[in-house]
Amino acid sequence: MFVLLAAAAAAAFSGASASCEPYRKVTSGECADSCLDSFVGVCPRSVVVKAGGLDTGRCASVGFTVSDGSIEEKAGPCGTLHFDKYTHAAGLAAAAEAVPLVTFDGAPSTTFTFAELNDPVMGGQSRGTWAQGDGYGVIDGEVVDVPSLKAPGFIKSSADGKFADVSAAAGGELLLEVRSTTPDYKGFRVSFASGTAAPAYSCAGGGSIPFSRGCFKAKFSVPAGGEWSVVRIPFASFSDKWSPATGEQTSTCAADHDVCPTAKTLGRIKRFEFWAEGVDGKVHLEVKSVRAAPASLASAPHLLGPLSSSPPKEFMSCSGPLQHTLRFGISGRTEPTVPVPVDQSETLADAVCCDRRVEVYAEPQFLFEAPDVALFSHLNASVNTFYDSVCGLPLFRAPVNRTMEEFKADTQEHGWPSFRAAEVIAENVIVDHSTGFVTSKCGTHLGSYLPDKKGPRWCMDLSCIAGVESS
């Protein structure tokens, strides 16, 4: 269900005046739109648009064309809120919606001139080069400490130009087709600039100095091996607030929606950059293409190649990689916030669901209430099915034999989604009564079996039951 922000008010298209203007909101792979008069109730349109983070235009203009019903809520003086909801067309047709942004094949609309920049800090000794291969670009060099700072510097390659409008990919992912002879290097990053009058300045300041917002950066890692791999980076993992000293985000999209890329920013990208930053080491990265994919490609993950963030083989407990787009905002949790050391390239779901080192731990308590997750705002009033985050098997249906409020209260009491016996799809869920661990039939760690005074209870990590149904 489309998450309706409390402050995002709108009148229905059917009830609005001829002078109304269309606005939309894209999130979690869905879009909702409506037409706003100059005032909505007693609320000025400008206030509603700003508070709700709305973009101008209808959902159809950014590729959301499949009707998915509507939603209405009461919002005080702003009146009754009405949004029409839309999704992308799913399946194989969605593959054509992955829009090329950068290639190295000479195509005029996607071929740009990249230039290398080494750490400009006085005394910086990081050195790199950029070269054009046969249909790909190559950044090569070494990141070393800046002596005066006793901290690693950076090398990067950048290109300016007019890049394709990928606003339809809001809520989706950036796809990098890459390979590397230094896959163990942990400082790979990518950034793009949009909505700034000075892209190079913004990508030097990272929002830490005046007027330097608008350069969105995220980490990525590259799988080992000599073959080309598709690395997927959710747009929800980018931020335009990061430290120019380390490259680390100072404010994440998960914690502050103001730093997230929007459909508007994805429609006017001016600059792309590939970085090796904040980590000492030799660097060799080859880039074949950069594309933007809408969230609808979650229904056809085999079209895009494997995920790159799974735990190392010796610690991998799942039968395969996570689905590349998980529900309830879980894909936006790109940091492995667990109490034991794991690979920093792992997402929260990778660590909690698939890494044996984390088996006795859980995702953060009350994650389901975090603003970027807000589980119960996604659920229907009737029965909801929860699917395995790896293989897409149905695991739980809730609420069954109780109300939604009772299911919610049970979950709030314990801090994790809590299911009762009637809600378990028993043929797909396995309990090890010697340890209390719960796994799915395809091997995904789901959480713990923790009976209480009310009876049997399955206390689950939302990260591991946020998948989409397998086809």
Side-chain angles (χ1 to χ4, degrees):
M1 179 182 293
F2 177 80
V3 180
L4 182 62
L5 299 181
F13 277 119
S14 58
S17 70
S19 63
C20 72
E21 295 182 5
Y23 286 86
R24 64 176 181 266
K25 180 77 174 182
V26 178
T27 185
S28 300
E30 295 182 306
C31 181
D33 64 18
S34 193
C35 206
L36 296 176
D37 287 316
S38 58
F39 276 81
V40 183
V42 298
C43 304
R45 179 168 59 199
S46 60
V47 172
V48 170
V49 170
K50 182 177 181 180
L54 305 180
D55 292 319
T56 304
R58 300 192 183 191
C59 292
S61 66
V62 290
F64 292 84
T65 57
V66 180
S67 178
D68 191 30
S70 61
I71 185 171
E72 290 190 355
E73 293 184 10
K74 294 187 181 298
C78 295
T80 299
L81 320 183
H82 181 108
F83 279 88
D84 293 314
K85 300 190 300 175
Y86 300 89
T87 62
H88 274 294
L92 294 177
E97 296 173 2
V99 179
L101 283 161
V102 177
T103 64
F104 300 92
D105 56 4
S109 62
T110 54
T111 299
F112 300 89
T113 301
F114 281 80
E116 174 67 23
L117 175 66
N118 297 323
D119 190 346
V121 174
M122 185 175 295
Q125 297 179 7
S126 300
R127 294 290 181 269
T129 60
W130 174 265
Q132 179 83 30
D134 184 12
Y136 57 90
V138 183
I139 183 171
D140 187 89
E142 184 174 9
V143 177
V144 299
D145 280 358
V146 178
S148 60
L149 301 178
K150 297 182 179 179
F154 71 83
I155 60 176
K156 71 175 180 178
S157 295
S158 310
D160 294 299
K162 184 178 181 180
F163 295 84
D165 179 345
V166 293
S167 54
E173 299 172 316
L174 192 71
L175 311 178
L176 307 181
E177 191 173 5
V178 293
R179 64 186 180 188
S180 175
T181 58
T182 58
D184 292 333
Y185 183 72
K186 302 301 183 184
F188 288 126
R189 307 174 200 267
V190 62
S191 62
F192 59 87
S194 174
T196 170
Y201 173 76
S202 292
C203 289
S208 67
I209 55 179
F211 308 108
S212 66
R213 298 285 301 276
C215 185
F216 299 87
K217 183 184 282 191
K219 288 181 177 179
F220 67 94
S221 59
V222 182
E227 300 299 319
W228 293 105
S229 298
V230 176
V231 174
R232 304 182 189 128
I233 312 173
F235 282 117
S237 67
F238 282 83
S239 169
D240 72 344
K241 284 188 176 180
W242 41 269
S243 167
T246 65
E248 295 295 324
Q249 294 178 0
T250 56
S251 183
T252 66
C253 181
D256 180 4
H257 291 297
D258 182 56
V259 305
C260 306
T262 65
K264 185 176 181 179
T265 55
L266 293 176
R268 51 181 187 177
I269 296 173
K270 299 179 178 181
R271 183 179 179 91
F272 253 97
E273 301 185 323
F274 303 106
W275 298 70
E277 179 184 26
V279 179
D280 287 339
K282 293 186 179 298
V283 175
H284 182 90
L285 177 69
E286 299 178 5
V287 183
K288 190 174 184 180
S289 69
V290 180
R291 295 178 293 157
S296 59
L297 284 175
S299 62
H302 59 284
L303 297 172
L304 300 177
L307 284 166
S308 63
S309 55
S310 297
K313 185 176 181 180
E314 62 268 29
F315 300 116
M316 177 69 165
S317 61
C318 289
S319 60
L322 292 170
Q323 294 179 347
H324 84 281
T325 300
L326 300 177
R327 296 187 296 163
F328 316 128
I330 295 299
S331 287
R333 291 288 174 141
T334 58
E335 299 292 329
T337 48
V338 292
V340 292
V342 296
D343 289 44
Q344 287 303 301
S345 60
E346 294 180 35
T347 65
L348 175 62
D350 282 308
V352 171
C353 311
C354 298
D355 195 320
R356 290 190 179 91
R357 293 170 289 186
V358 189
E359 195 171 42
V360 299
Y361 298 97
E363 68 190 14
Q365 192 176 23
F366 297 104
L367 175 69
F368 70 91
E369 290 188 337
D372 59 312
V373 177
L375 170 64
F376 286 94
S377 70
H378 292 273
L379 301 184
N380 300 315
S382 57
V383 177
N384 300 265
T385 302
F386 295 81
Y387 298 94
D388 189 297
S389 292
V390 173
C391 64
L393 280 178
L395 303 171
F396 302 93
R397 295 189 182 98
V400 174
N401 294 343
R402 57 177 173 169
T403 66
M404 176 62 77
E405 286 305 311
E406 289 171 329
F407 171 47
K408 184 176 181 179
D410 205 10
T411 295
Q412 289 174 327
E413 178 182 349
H414 297 98
W416 290 272
S418 295
F419 301 92
R420 299 296 172 172
E423 297 167 327
V424 181
I425 302 176
E427 63 268 28
N428 294 335
V429 177
I430 301 168
V431 176
D432 183 339
H433 289 281
S434 66
T435 62
F437 294 155
V438 180
T439 57
S440 73
K441 189 169 70 173
C442 54
T444 309
H445 179 80
L446 305 177
S448 299
Y449 177 70
L450 299 170
D452 61 9
K453 62 183 180 181
K454 298 177 185 177
R457 178 171 65 91
W458 286 255
C459 188
M460 299 295 96
D461 292 298
L462 181 61
S463 301
C464 309
I465 59 172
V468 296
E469 184 176 10
S470 58
S471 56

